[in-house]
Amino acid sequence: MQTWKEMKEIQPLAAQMLMNSFKKDRISHAYLFQGSRGTGKKELSILFAKSIFCKNRTGAEPCLECRDCHRIDSGNHPDLHWVEPEGQSIKKEQILHLQKEFTYTGMESNRKVYIIVDADKMTTNASNRLLKFLEEPSQQTTAMLLTESGQTILDTIRSRCQLLALQPLNSRRVEKMLIAEGVSESNAKLLASLTNNLTEALEMNEDEWFANVRKLVIQLIEVLQNKPNEGLLFINHQWMPHFKERKHLQRGLDVLMLWFQDIINQYLDREDSIVFITEREKLEQAAMRWSRQSSAQCLSYILEAKRKINQNVHPNLVMEQLTLQLQR
């Protein structure tokens, strides 16, 4: 997301608000970008910094070619300062160092910008020190605080920032972005159905463990269709060894749900909604085994299994019961 036009497609409201600040020449001294992982907080802060420093910008749009733009991309702009957690937290000493840096005159101009990543991870002392910094804002200083959890940031800090809430990405948007990143269409559809977090989706695409989840779901369906008497054997000897943690088992059940949703989509001729596009022949065979009504019942069984996993019922017992239910 190099331009404001691209950013508006992802985060229209936040992008428009920041673009308007340039049109009206009213850049606030502090912003709080709040949104879940993968919604573009860091990209938005970098683009905003470019617009602040770029001497050749057109309206809010930075030129992307000048020395300032290139130095921001490379992380070497002397008047743009990043603060990120050291270990598990952002410490008071990091904020003190930032304040010290800001006592010096800007290297390129009088303007300075700082970006605090995971601002919710500031210690109490760091938060109090930042608050004092924000209470005496310089007209030439702009702060950007990035967080997934704005509610954990001090109210006194929040009140001194302009809040921009970033919206989750919709599945079609995530799917297109994944394909643009080189992910296959079939994987993009599956990943976009499981998460609206682009970063998480890309990580899952590179994860061999996740690639095997898809294979295991297809194998389970084939066993249930063709060798139902071997269902419990498959669960105990192939399925459960792969899903050793409850969160992993939940992911496997999520993919299994998508399979039965696809059967229903096939009955309703919702071609665009089908996720398992490379397994169309297997889907057609599955539709002969499970009717639309029984597929809907299977979805209920899987949801109940997910609920039991959250309630700490023994995973093996949950999966064995679910397998018997899906065989009916």
Side-chain angles (χ1 to χ4, degrees):
M1 290 173 278
Q2 288 281 315
T3 67
W4 285 108
K5 181 180 179 181
E6 291 172 329
M7 184 58 73
K8 279 189 72 175
E9 293 180 2
I10 307 301
Q11 295 293 345
L13 294 178
Q16 190 61 57
M17 286 178 65
L18 293 177
M19 291 174 70
N20 288 342
S21 67
F22 287 101
K23 292 179 183 178
K24 299 177 181 178
D25 195 24
R26 292 181 182 174
I27 298 175
S28 297
H29 71 277
Y31 295 86
L32 177 61
F33 296 168
Q34 177 180 320
S36 58
R37 186 166 169 257
T39 50
K41 298 185 293 297
K42 193 168 185 177
E43 292 86 349
L44 184 62
S45 66
I46 291 172
L47 180 56
F48 193 40
K50 285 181 182 177
S51 295
I52 289 173
F53 286 114
C54 181
K55 298 178 180 65
N56 302 321
R57 74 168 188 260
T58 303
E61 206 68 68
C63 71
L64 305 179
E65 298 295 334
C66 69
R67 187 164 177 255
D68 285 307
C69 288
H70 283 307
R71 292 177 83 176
I72 289 172
D73 276 332
S74 64
N76 292 318
H77 198 289
D79 296 325
L80 173 60
H81 300 267
W82 290 85
V83 179
E84 301 189 53
E86 290 183 354
Q88 298 298 314
S89 63
I90 295 173
K91 300 170 178 63
K92 176 183 176 181
E93 290 72 24
Q94 291 176 262
I95 305 299
L96 286 171
H97 177 73
L98 180 70
Q99 285 181 286
K100 184 178 180 181
E101 288 289 327
F102 274 62
T103 61
Y104 305 129
T105 303
M107 298 290 289
E108 306 291 334
S109 68
N110 289 327
R111 179 171 288 281
K112 283 180 173 286
V113 172
Y114 62 97
I115 299 171
I116 300 181
V117 180
D118 293 333
D120 52 289
K121 294 184 179 179
M122 286 188 290
T123 64
T124 301
N125 287 336
S127 295
N128 290 330
R129 176 55 59 178
L130 179 67
L131 179 59
K132 291 182 180 179
F133 201 19
L134 292 172
E135 284 175 341
E136 300 174 358
S138 163
Q139 292 298 316
Q140 300 297 312
T141 298
T142 301
M144 286 178 264
L145 281 62
L146 317 184
T147 180
E148 293 183 31
S149 179
Q151 299 304 318
T152 60
I153 292 176
L154 288 178
D155 288 341
T156 44
I157 290 179
R158 287 170 57 87
S159 66
R160 285 166 174 77
C161 298
Q162 182 173 336
L163 176 63
L164 283 86
L166 306 193
Q167 301 302 310
L169 307 183
N170 65 56
S171 60
R172 292 295 170 88
R173 170 68 62 186
V174 174
E175 183 182 328
K176 289 180 180 178
M177 293 172 70
L178 288 170
I179 292 173
E181 291 284 341
V183 178
S184 68
E185 184 182 0
S186 60
N187 277 355
K189 280 184 171 292
L190 176 61
L191 294 166
S193 299
L194 294 171
T195 178
N196 59 17
N197 183 319
L198 181 63
T199 303
E200 182 182 16
L202 288 170
E203 289 174 354
M204 289 165 63
N205 185 61
E206 298 296 325
D207 189 351
E208 185 179 349
W209 177 89
F210 180 75
N212 286 325
V213 171
R214 184 185 190 123
K215 294 177 184 177
L216 282 168
V217 166
I218 301 301
Q219 289 171 7
L220 174 60
I221 293 298
E222 290 178 335
V223 169
L224 293 177
Q225 276 183 245
N226 305 317
K227 300 177 181 178
N229 292 335
E230 296 180 13
L232 294 180
L233 193 65
F234 178 85
I235 288 297
N236 285 297
H237 290 274
Q238 295 191 58
W239 181 277
M240 293 309 299
H242 191 69
F243 300 101
K244 295 177 181 178
E245 297 182 26
R246 289 177 184 271
K247 65 178 181 179
H248 292 156
L249 182 53
Q250 291 283 12
R251 181 64 80 194
L253 291 174
D254 288 338
V255 177
L256 186 59
M257 284 188 69
L258 291 175
W259 178 268
F260 284 101
Q261 286 175 7
D262 269 4
I263 295 177
I264 294 173
N265 286 329
Q266 184 159 290
Y267 275 113
L268 298 175
D269 293 323
R270 294 174 180 166
E271 294 293 317
D272 291 342
S273 298
I274 290 178
V275 172
F276 288 90
I277 56 174
T278 57
E279 290 87 9
R280 295 305 297 266
E281 186 176 340
K282 288 184 172 66
L283 269 176
E284 289 172 5
Q285 293 172 359
M288 297 174 66
R289 166 65 176 81
W290 287 280
S291 68
R292 176 181 164 186
Q293 290 75 20
S294 62
S295 295
Q297 185 61 58
C298 287
L299 287 175
S300 297
Y301 291 144
I302 298 170
L303 283 171
E304 178 65 14
K306 286 175 63 64
R307 186 183 66 81
K308 288 179 179 177
I309 293 296
N310 283 335
Q311 293 176 339
N312 289 326
V313 179
H314 197 284
N316 285 73
L317 295 178
V318 173
M319 283 306 305
E320 286 174 2
Q321 181 182 27
L322 176 61
T323 301
L324 294 173
Q325 291 172 325
L326 297 179
Q327 286 176 186
R328 293 175 186 171

